[in-house]
Amino acid sequence: GAVVSQHPSRVICKSGTSVKIECRSLDFQATTMFWYRQFPKQSLMLMATSNEGSKATYEQGVEKDKFLINHASLTLSTLTVTSAHPEDSSFYICSASRDLQPQHFGDGTRLSIL
Amino acid sequence: QKEVEQNSGPLSVPEGAIASLNCTYSDRGSQSFFWYRQYSGKSPELIMSIYSNGDKEDGRFTAQLNKASQYVSLLIRDSQPSDSATYLCAVNKNNFNKFYFGSGTKLNVKP
């Protein structure tokens, strides 16, 4: 089946640090990539949707200057959490999709800001 | 009204029983429907996709779609403790940019 690779799987860093998370579709070209955040025991929350070569569409309440998304190719999207603070600690998950095909998720990145 | 609604559970079934998970959606124009399984602390994994009315079977899993009633369900036969997870229903409205996820139903399969 489709494989989406997400890296790193875990990040622990100090407050004020910027953290970049990569999401790659390994065996298909993804027309759309999605970024989610999930707090413990809560449901997935869509942060933004990105299409290759165009600006990401952010969900209401998600700061675009805080969460920078780059989708430079059909196989790679990155999420940068800028100047991270403890409240940004969460489980970040990317997914990739092509046309109307199902989304395939990466393994997620557990971000802990001290 | 939420786009996709699921009972949060938990749904408890004994090992070997059939688990029935249900999902309703609000937009009649929805075209594609998916079930994902998410273990605690892990990301969701795709179990089934269904695009037309009726049943679709894959091993112990059967997805059922009824567009007239706007519901989609997932049956798990011969439930195993390893099936214990949160099951997410997702709907695509014929717009590949937009998927809507339910909040998930937690399933506990008791040995």
Side-chain angles (χ1 to χ4, degrees):
Chain A
V3 178
V4 175
S5 172
Q6 186 173 343
H7 178 81
S9 59
R10 186 173 180 92
V11 180
I12 302 172
C13 58
K14 294 180 179 180
S15 183
T17 307
S18 291
V19 177
K20 179 186 276 190
I21 303 169
E22 286 191 354
C23 181
R24 293 180 185 272
S25 57
L26 297 184
D27 57 353
F28 70 105
Q29 293 187 321
T31 48
T32 309
M33 287 187 169
F34 305 83
W35 288 96
Y36 295 85
R37 181 168 53 184
Q38 188 173 38
F39 293 105
K41 297 187 178 182
Q42 294 189 22
S43 56
L44 287 174
M45 187 193 83
L46 178 65
M47 299 175 68
T49 301
S50 80
N51 295 301
E52 183 262 341
S54 61
K55 290 183 178 181
T57 301
Y58 289 80
E59 295 299 302
Q60 192 172 12
V62 178
E63 300 175 58
K64 57 183 67 175
D65 294 332
K66 172 81 173 173
F67 300 98
L68 301 178
I69 291 172
N70 183 280
H71 192 163
S73 75
L74 283 171
T75 59
L76 174 64
S77 177
T78 60
L79 167 68
T80 301
V81 184
T82 61
S83 187
H85 289 95
E87 59 267 27
D88 298 322
S89 299
S90 188
F91 189 43
Y92 291 86
I93 314 173
C94 74
S95 71
S97 174
R98 181 179 178 85
D99 300 329
L100 291 176
Q101 298 302 307
Q103 293 183 40
H104 295 277
F105 287 85
D107 288 338
T109 298
R110 198 161 300 282
L111 177 63
S112 300
I113 307 298
L114 305 177
Chain B
Q1 183 185 10
K2 291 182 180 179
E3 296 282 350
V4 179
E5 300 224 38
Q6 293 181 256
N7 188 315
S8 61
L11 173 66
S12 292
V13 300
E15 183 174 357
I18 295 175
S20 178
L21 303 161
N22 299 308
C23 169
T24 58
Y25 58 95
S26 61
D27 190 333
R28 285 193 174 275
S30 300
Q31 296 290 319
S32 310
F33 307 86
F34 311 98
W35 282 100
Y36 290 83
R37 176 176 62 198
Q38 187 176 23
Y39 292 112
S40 180
K42 302 293 185 182
S43 63
E45 57 179 319
L46 180 69
I47 299 176
M48 295 280 287
S49 56
I50 187 166
Y51 302 93
S52 55
N53 276 330
D55 295 1
K56 179 181 178 183
E57 186 174 320
D58 183 0
R60 294 187 297 113
F61 298 99
T62 299
Q64 299 175 317
L65 174 61
N66 184 323
K67 289 188 177 181
S69 301
Q70 294 175 236
Y71 82 78
V72 56
S73 61
L74 179 69
L75 301 179
I76 306 174
R77 288 182 299 283
D78 188 24
S79 295
Q80 302 296 308
S82 58
D83 294 326
S84 297
T86 296
Y87 289 80
L88 302 169
C89 172
V91 172
N92 183 296
K93 291 187 188 181
N94 200 30
N95 175 345
F96 60 80
N97 273 345
K98 207 68 177 179
F99 288 76
Y100 295 89
F101 281 84
S103 56
T105 298
K106 186 174 175 60
L107 174 66
N108 290 329
V109 180
K110 298 182 178 180

